[in-house]
Amino acid sequence: MVNAMAILARLLLYVAVTIALGGICAHWVRREPWSARLGVVDVRLSLLVGLAALTALLLMFVVQFTALDLAPTANDVAMLMRQTTWGRGWLLLAGIAMTGLALTAVRATLAVRAVVVVAFAVAMGGLGHAAADEAAPLLSRGLDAMHVVSVGVWLGGLLCLGSDLTPTSWSRFSGLAVFAAPLAVLSGVGSALRRVSGGSVSQIVGGDYGRLLAAKLACVALILLVGAWHRRQLRARRVPTVASVRFELLLALVVLGVTAALTGTAPPGE
């Protein structure tokens, strides 16, 4: 039950940050000025995304508190928040999420919101495997940050532009995805290599972490194939079909789900 709640919480958090980054990307693709303020519909979506992120963080707090078998006292809460790397990372994310909600409520400019969303994406490394990497903490955090941001721009942008299937917007987004997709793959592979470097081949192949990683890589490969097909259509001056876009987004959701399970699985050798 606790493990299922942890996976659900991480999936909700990943979906929220992916949509938030994708929304920023969509505004850029539509050539909206960075000084533009959100419309009513965008405000509602941003508020929902912010509330989803806070809900995910609350669930993650409950899971962590339960896993450590702490007592429901102010002292134990303070200890978790102040004396652990996870707790300090959680506080940072919660603070950024609440700041984002406040800025959305006052309809802050696109530039300000972009800074907050990217800051949240970068800070997410404080709750994952990167936070436990003592050998190369900056490298692990950097790879995680690049991965979250590039995935949000690539797949989040695709989600937010799904209803705007005009040749102009697709052409502009495709040019951005050409850089975001390889960066997402390379940073993801780099992070995976950091995680599996402490295990043997048999531990990697035979363990839960290795199997989940293989499933994620297979789904990413399918997404890349669909993306390549979309780019070929654009070169032929045809807009990708709604069905193919939905299929790519479905694969993206599967990848996020596998990632949510992967993040909570001990790497080989640990």
Side-chain angles (χ1 to χ4, degrees):
M1 180 65 180
V2 173
N3 187 48
M5 184 184 294
I7 293 175
L8 176 62
R10 288 191 291 267
L11 176 59
L12 185 59
L13 185 67
Y14 297 160
V15 170
V17 74
T18 299
I19 293 175
L21 287 163
I24 299 297
C25 172
H27 285 293
W28 180 83
V29 167
R30 297 186 186 112
R31 299 182 182 275
E32 297 180 14
W34 290 106
S35 58
R37 295 184 180 273
L38 292 178
V40 176
V41 175
D42 288 327
V43 167
R44 291 175 180 172
L45 177 60
S46 295
L47 288 174
L48 285 175
V49 168
L51 290 173
L54 284 175
T55 300
L57 289 172
L58 179 59
L59 290 174
M60 294 173 75
F61 175 84
V62 172
V63 169
Q64 188 74 359
F65 202 80
T66 303
L68 294 176
D69 198 23
L70 299 176
T73 64
N75 287 337
D76 277 7
V77 172
M79 183 278 296
L80 177 62
M81 294 292 98
R82 297 176 183 174
Q83 299 180 24
T84 66
T85 301
W86 187 93
R88 290 189 292 271
W90 187 93
L91 282 174
L92 178 60
L93 280 172
I96 296 174
M98 288 188 288
T99 300
L101 278 174
L103 290 172
T104 298
V106 299
R107 296 178 62 186
T109 63
L110 179 61
V112 173
R113 289 185 57 255
V115 170
V116 173
V117 172
V118 171
F120 188 89
V122 171
M124 282 177 57
L127 298 187
H129 290 305
D133 190 341
E134 297 179 356
L138 291 180
L139 175 61
S140 286
R141 294 286 186 98
L143 288 171
D144 268 17
M146 285 190 291
H147 190 61
V148 174
V149 172
S150 54
V151 167
V153 170
W154 174 26
L155 300 178
L158 180 66
L159 173 63
C160 293
L161 285 167
S163 60
D164 187 15
L165 298 173
T166 65
T168 301
S169 63
W170 269 106
S171 178
R172 188 166 166 82
F173 171 72
S174 179
L176 186 62
V178 166
F179 294 97
L183 183 60
V185 173
L186 291 175
S187 57
V189 170
S191 293
L193 290 176
R194 292 295 308 164
R195 305 291 85 80
V196 303
S197 60
S200 64
V201 175
S202 60
Q203 288 175 321
I204 297 172
V205 175
D208 291 339
Y209 191 93
R211 285 191 286 268
L212 287 170
L213 181 59
K216 179 178 178 178
L217 291 175
C219 288
V220 170
L222 285 175
I223 292 175
L224 290 173
L225 287 174
V226 176
W229 169 248
H230 286 168
R231 186 158 179 81
R232 185 177 299 177
Q233 287 181 306
L234 290 170
R235 286 177 176 173
R237 300 190 178 184
R238 293 194 299 268
V239 173
T241 64
V242 174
S244 64
V245 172
R246 287 178 177 173
F247 178 64
E248 187 172 1
L249 291 174
L250 177 61
L251 289 173
L253 182 60
V254 173
V255 168
L256 292 179
V258 174
T259 303
L262 190 65
T263 305
T265 303
E270 291 189 3

